Amino acid sequence: MSGSLWMPPGSGPDTLPAIPRQRTPSWAAPDPVDELAERLDDFVAAAVHPDEIAALLESDGLSDDQIRERYGVKNSFALAEELYERVERRHPEPEGPVHDPWQVGLLGCLLRGVVFALPGFGYVLGAPFLAGPRGDLGLPAGTVPLLAGALAGWTWNQGLAHRAYSWLGLGDRPAARRSLLTGAPLGALLGALVALAVAGTEDLSAVAFAAGQSAYLGAATALLVMGRERALLAALLPMAAGAAFALVHPVPEVARLVLLLGSLAVVVVLGLFEVAPAVLTQGRGELRDQPRWRRRRQSTMGPRLTASLPYALFGLGTGVLVVYASLGDVLTGEENSAIAAPAAVALTLSMGPAESLLYRFRSGSLAALRSTSTPKAFWRTTARTVVQCLTAYLVSLLVLSVLTSALWPHAQSLGGIRLAGLLLLGVVLWTGLLLQSFGAVAGAATVCCAAALAQTLALVTHTGDPHRVGLIVYGTAAATLAALVCALLGRATAHR
């Protein structure tokens, strides 16, 4: 044992044999999958599906043989699923402020509400031209033809506005102008013919007034769709100022006629100038820059005409409901009917806050899509937002109703049943507009048209007290529309 160590041949006396290094047991070695998960942590945490991770692994050049040898799994998809399970989900917020397309100023929405209400002053100026005995329904002379023409024009222009907005959504502004240039005159003609069919040849002054009303509706629709609210407001202000003066001081009929025809002419000319570029540019450069084989056929698929029909029916249904709410006392034969005009003005002015609150809800739902992680949490967040917006709209409608009834000459105070009916009608209008923004306009149109038909049948057959019937109809429609809204709140695709 005390002898020298055996040395292999060729080794020096100062060389020691190599001592074999002890192997680390497999259970103590770091897991290569954990190492890979740590290296790809940011990408894996933000992935929404394992296939994203598999695509990254394949783009790095890892073959299935290499994956089996290094990580002990079958292929890239199995490794991606393993990484997806081991890393907690984290979705970082984008840098900088988040883009919100629904951020719209309140002033613009309120301006649209004022623009919707100002044409009502035209009836104040035109009242002497419609003088005469009351009609069969107890309405002032000329009211029935005007209402019929207004409902026809409102229905047509709702569908026309949807079609023009559809073209704008496709980025084809000239096509939107062409649809307005074609549809607005047809709508004006339709409103005049409906008024003529209702009035006959016995009340030509009412037919002429209805024709001007229809022409205004078509031109105003073109201006509103193209975003020219300020120009429309400027055209209506002289007429509104003259009507306000006529309320406190007599105004000659000639001056009334000049104000009415002047405002109508300015609005029509502004509308023509807005859509005229569609005619001036058609055929100049549209086809010249296209290949010759494509010049004779349309290259863009436009919106279907039938797609605008539900929007037109929604306009008809809501228009009838608003007419009944505004003229309910007169239609039932009651003498004290001054409450009708304040209700109509309040509902019209409330469309400004309604539009603003719709934008606010869409902005809130977009924020909820970013901040919530489960469908139930998203539904709760959007439900809370819709309750807040609807409450704010009803408060604004209540304030406007109280103010208009207080300022309107000889108007009665709002009663409990009338006020409840007016607020329920506000729920119907706002939830119907919300369903339109969800793309569920067919359901909203069906409910509103059914409610209008039910109230018409009750009025014709003299079933029950009209105010209580209206309260039941509005309440049923509001509950149905609210149920439809609740059913769609949890669908992320409805908030596009």
PDB file of all heavy atoms in Angstrom, residues 283-292 294-297:
ATOM      1  N   GLY A 283     -68.802  60.269 -62.989  1.00  0.00           N
ATOM      2  CA  GLY A 283     -68.344  60.030 -64.344  1.00  0.00           C
ATOM      3  C   GLY A 283     -67.068  60.719 -64.728  1.00  0.00           C
ATOM      4  O   GLY A 283     -66.525  60.476 -65.793  1.00  0.00           O
ATOM      5  N   ARG A 284     -66.508  61.609 -63.908  1.00  0.00           N
ATOM      6  CA  ARG A 284     -65.294  62.322 -64.289  1.00  0.00           C
ATOM      7  C   ARG A 284     -64.049  61.508 -63.992  1.00  0.00           C
ATOM      8  O   ARG A 284     -63.245  61.264 -64.865  1.00  0.00           O
ATOM      9  CB  ARG A 284     -65.228  63.654 -63.548  1.00  0.00           C
ATOM     10  CG  ARG A 284     -66.293  64.632 -64.020  1.00  0.00           C
ATOM     11  CD  ARG A 284     -66.075  66.002 -63.392  1.00  0.00           C
ATOM     12  NE  ARG A 284     -67.039  66.978 -63.862  1.00  0.00           N
ATOM     13  CZ  ARG A 284     -67.055  68.247 -63.514  1.00  0.00           C
ATOM     14  NH1 ARG A 284     -66.147  68.709 -62.658  1.00  0.00           N
ATOM     15  NH2 ARG A 284     -67.956  69.072 -63.980  1.00  0.00           N
ATOM     16  N   GLY A 285     -63.883  61.113 -62.721  1.00  0.00           N
ATOM     17  CA  GLY A 285     -62.666  60.398 -62.379  1.00  0.00           C
ATOM     18  C   GLY A 285     -62.902  59.040 -61.781  1.00  0.00           C
ATOM     19  O   GLY A 285     -61.970  58.318 -61.475  1.00  0.00           O
ATOM     20  N   GLU A 286     -64.184  58.681 -61.605  1.00  0.00           N
ATOM     21  CA  GLU A 286     -64.458  57.426 -60.940  1.00  0.00           C
ATOM     22  C   GLU A 286     -64.047  56.238 -61.793  1.00  0.00           C
ATOM     23  O   GLU A 286     -63.471  55.276 -61.304  1.00  0.00           O
ATOM     24  CB  GLU A 286     -65.948  57.331 -60.616  1.00  0.00           C
ATOM     25  CG  GLU A 286     -66.401  58.359 -59.577  1.00  0.00           C
ATOM     26  CD  GLU A 286     -67.884  58.268 -59.336  1.00  0.00           C
ATOM     27  OE1 GLU A 286     -68.551  57.538 -60.091  1.00  0.00           O
ATOM     28  OE2 GLU A 286     -68.396  58.907 -58.410  1.00  0.00           O
ATOM     29  N   LEU A 287     -64.352  56.276 -63.094  1.00  0.00           N
ATOM     30  CA  LEU A 287     -64.074  55.143 -63.964  1.00  0.00           C
ATOM     31  C   LEU A 287     -62.756  55.288 -64.713  1.00  0.00           C
ATOM     32  O   LEU A 287     -62.205  54.285 -65.179  1.00  0.00           O
ATOM     33  CB  LEU A 287     -65.216  54.983 -64.982  1.00  0.00           C
ATOM     34  CG  LEU A 287     -66.615  54.768 -64.382  1.00  0.00           C
ATOM     35  CD1 LEU A 287     -67.645  54.670 -65.495  1.00  0.00           C
ATOM     36  CD2 LEU A 287     -66.648  53.538 -63.503  1.00  0.00           C
ATOM     37  N   ARG A 288     -62.248  56.489 -64.801  1.00  0.00           N
ATOM     38  CA  ARG A 288     -61.046  56.709 -65.600  1.00  0.00           C
ATOM     39  C   ARG A 288     -59.844  56.002 -65.009  1.00  0.00           C
ATOM     40  O   ARG A 288     -58.985  55.508 -65.735  1.00  0.00           O
ATOM     41  CB  ARG A 288     -60.795  58.214 -65.686  1.00  0.00           C
ATOM     42  CG  ARG A 288     -59.585  58.571 -66.538  1.00  0.00           C
ATOM     43  CD  ARG A 288     -59.405  60.086 -66.501  1.00  0.00           C
ATOM     44  NE  ARG A 288     -59.270  60.543 -65.120  1.00  0.00           N
ATOM     45  CZ  ARG A 288     -59.410  61.816 -64.764  1.00  0.00           C
ATOM     46  NH1 ARG A 288     -59.723  62.725 -65.656  1.00  0.00           N
ATOM     47  NH2 ARG A 288     -59.255  62.173 -63.497  1.00  0.00           N
ATOM     48  N   ASP A 289     -59.767  55.941 -63.670  1.00  0.00           N
ATOM     49  CA  ASP A 289     -58.613  55.349 -63.019  1.00  0.00           C
ATOM     50  C   ASP A 289     -58.743  53.837 -62.836  1.00  0.00           C
ATOM     51  O   ASP A 289     -57.857  53.221 -62.241  1.00  0.00           O
ATOM     52  CB  ASP A 289     -58.396  56.000 -61.644  1.00  0.00           C
ATOM     53  CG  ASP A 289     -58.098  57.480 -61.778  1.00  0.00           C
ATOM     54  OD1 ASP A 289     -57.538  57.855 -62.832  1.00  0.00           O
ATOM     55  OD2 ASP A 289     -58.416  58.240 -60.851  1.00  0.00           O
ATOM     56  N   GLN A 290     -59.822  53.230 -63.327  1.00  0.00           N
ATOM     57  CA  GLN A 290     -59.997  51.801 -63.181  1.00  0.00           C
ATOM     58  C   GLN A 290     -59.575  51.092 -64.466  1.00  0.00           C
ATOM     59  O   GLN A 290     -59.548  51.693 -65.547  1.00  0.00           O
ATOM     60  CB  GLN A 290     -61.465  51.462 -62.887  1.00  0.00           C
ATOM     61  CG  GLN A 290     -61.969  52.040 -61.574  1.00  0.00           C
ATOM     62  CD  GLN A 290     -63.396  51.631 -61.316  1.00  0.00           C
ATOM     63  OE1 GLN A 290     -63.964  50.823 -62.047  1.00  0.00           O
ATOM     64  NE2 GLN A 290     -63.992  52.197 -60.275  1.00  0.00           N
ATOM     65  N   PRO A 291     -59.248  49.796 -64.377  1.00  0.00           N
ATOM     66  CA  PRO A 291     -58.962  49.038 -65.591  1.00  0.00           C
ATOM     67  C   PRO A 291     -60.162  49.037 -66.524  1.00  0.00           C
ATOM     68  O   PRO A 291     -61.316  49.099 -66.093  1.00  0.00           O
ATOM     69  CB  PRO A 291     -58.665  47.629 -65.060  1.00  0.00           C
ATOM     70  CG  PRO A 291     -58.267  47.839 -63.646  1.00  0.00           C
ATOM     71  CD  PRO A 291     -59.037  49.023 -63.159  1.00  0.00           C
ATOM     72  N   ARG A 292     -59.884  48.934 -67.807  1.00  0.00           N
ATOM     73  CA  ARG A 292     -60.960  49.055 -68.780  1.00  0.00           C
ATOM     74  C   ARG A 292     -62.004  47.964 -68.619  1.00  0.00           C
ATOM     75  O   ARG A 292     -63.200  48.198 -68.787  1.00  0.00           O
ATOM     76  CB  ARG A 292     -60.373  49.009 -70.191  1.00  0.00           C
ATOM     77  CG  ARG A 292     -61.399  49.190 -71.296  1.00  0.00           C
ATOM     78  CD  ARG A 292     -60.723  49.357 -72.636  1.00  0.00           C
ATOM     79  NE  ARG A 292     -59.884  50.551 -72.630  1.00  0.00           N
ATOM     80  CZ  ARG A 292     -59.134  50.916 -73.674  1.00  0.00           C
ATOM     81  NH1 ARG A 292     -59.120  50.204 -74.766  1.00  0.00           N
ATOM     82  NH2 ARG A 292     -58.396  52.005 -73.587  1.00  0.00           N
ATOM     83  N   ARG A 294     -63.133  46.756 -65.997  1.00  0.00           N
ATOM     84  CA  ARG A 294     -63.974  46.941 -64.817  1.00  0.00           C
ATOM     85  C   ARG A 294     -64.819  48.206 -64.897  1.00  0.00           C
ATOM     86  O   ARG A 294     -65.551  48.519 -63.974  1.00  0.00           O
ATOM     87  CB  ARG A 294     -63.108  47.007 -63.561  1.00  0.00           C
ATOM     88  CG  ARG A 294     -62.419  45.715 -63.224  1.00  0.00           C
ATOM     89  CD  ARG A 294     -61.650  45.840 -61.932  1.00  0.00           C
ATOM     90  NE  ARG A 294     -62.538  46.201 -60.819  1.00  0.00           N
ATOM     91  CZ  ARG A 294     -62.086  46.488 -59.607  1.00  0.00           C
ATOM     92  NH1 ARG A 294     -60.795  46.476 -59.337  1.00  0.00           N
ATOM     93  NH2 ARG A 294     -62.939  46.800 -58.643  1.00  0.00           N
ATOM     94  N   ARG A 295     -64.712  48.957 -65.976  1.00  0.00           N
ATOM     95  CA  ARG A 295     -65.386  50.252 -66.018  1.00  0.00           C
ATOM     96  C   ARG A 295     -66.895  50.139 -66.178  1.00  0.00           C
ATOM     97  O   ARG A 295     -67.613  51.085 -65.896  1.00  0.00           O
ATOM     98  CB  ARG A 295     -64.805  51.098 -67.158  1.00  0.00           C
ATOM     99  CG  ARG A 295     -63.357  51.484 -66.919  1.00  0.00           C
ATOM    100  CD  ARG A 295     -62.817  52.335 -68.035  1.00  0.00           C
ATOM    101  NE  ARG A 295     -61.410  52.652 -67.816  1.00  0.00           N
ATOM    102  CZ  ARG A 295     -60.676  53.385 -68.650  1.00  0.00           C
ATOM    103  NH1 ARG A 295     -61.220  53.876 -69.751  1.00  0.00           N
ATOM    104  NH2 ARG A 295     -59.410  53.617 -68.388  1.00  0.00           N
ATOM    105  N   ARG A 296     -67.377  49.022 -66.654  1.00  0.00           N
ATOM    106  CA  ARG A 296     -68.806  48.899 -66.913  1.00  0.00           C
ATOM    107  C   ARG A 296     -69.563  48.184 -65.806  1.00  0.00           C
ATOM    108  O   ARG A 296     -70.748  47.931 -65.956  1.00  0.00           O
ATOM    109  CB  ARG A 296     -69.025  48.153 -68.233  1.00  0.00           C
ATOM    110  CG  ARG A 296     -68.539  48.936 -69.442  1.00  0.00           C
ATOM    111  CD  ARG A 296     -68.906  48.215 -70.721  1.00  0.00           C
ATOM    112  NE  ARG A 296     -68.479  48.968 -71.884  1.00  0.00           N
ATOM    113  CZ  ARG A 296     -68.689  48.568 -73.145  1.00  0.00           C
ATOM    114  NH1 ARG A 296     -69.317  47.434 -73.385  1.00  0.00           N
ATOM    115  NH2 ARG A 296     -68.264  49.304 -74.148  1.00  0.00           N
ATOM    116  N   ARG A 297     -68.871  47.837 -64.758  1.00  0.00           N
ATOM    117  CA  ARG A 297     -69.581  47.165 -63.680  1.00  0.00           C
ATOM    118  C   ARG A 297     -69.179  47.761 -62.348  1.00  0.00           C
ATOM    119  O   ARG A 297     -68.076  48.263 -62.195  1.00  0.00           O
ATOM    120  CB  ARG A 297     -69.321  45.668 -63.701  1.00  0.00           C
ATOM    121  CG  ARG A 297     -67.879  45.287 -63.482  1.00  0.00           C
ATOM    122  CD  ARG A 297     -67.742  43.764 -63.544  1.00  0.00           C
ATOM    123  NE  ARG A 297     -66.380  43.344 -63.279  1.00  0.00           N
ATOM    124  CZ  ARG A 297     -65.998  42.082 -63.264  1.00  0.00           C
ATOM    125  NH1 ARG A 297     -66.879  41.132 -63.519  1.00  0.00           N
ATOM    126  NH2 ARG A 297     -64.740  41.767 -63.007  1.00  0.00           N
TER     127      ARG A 297
END
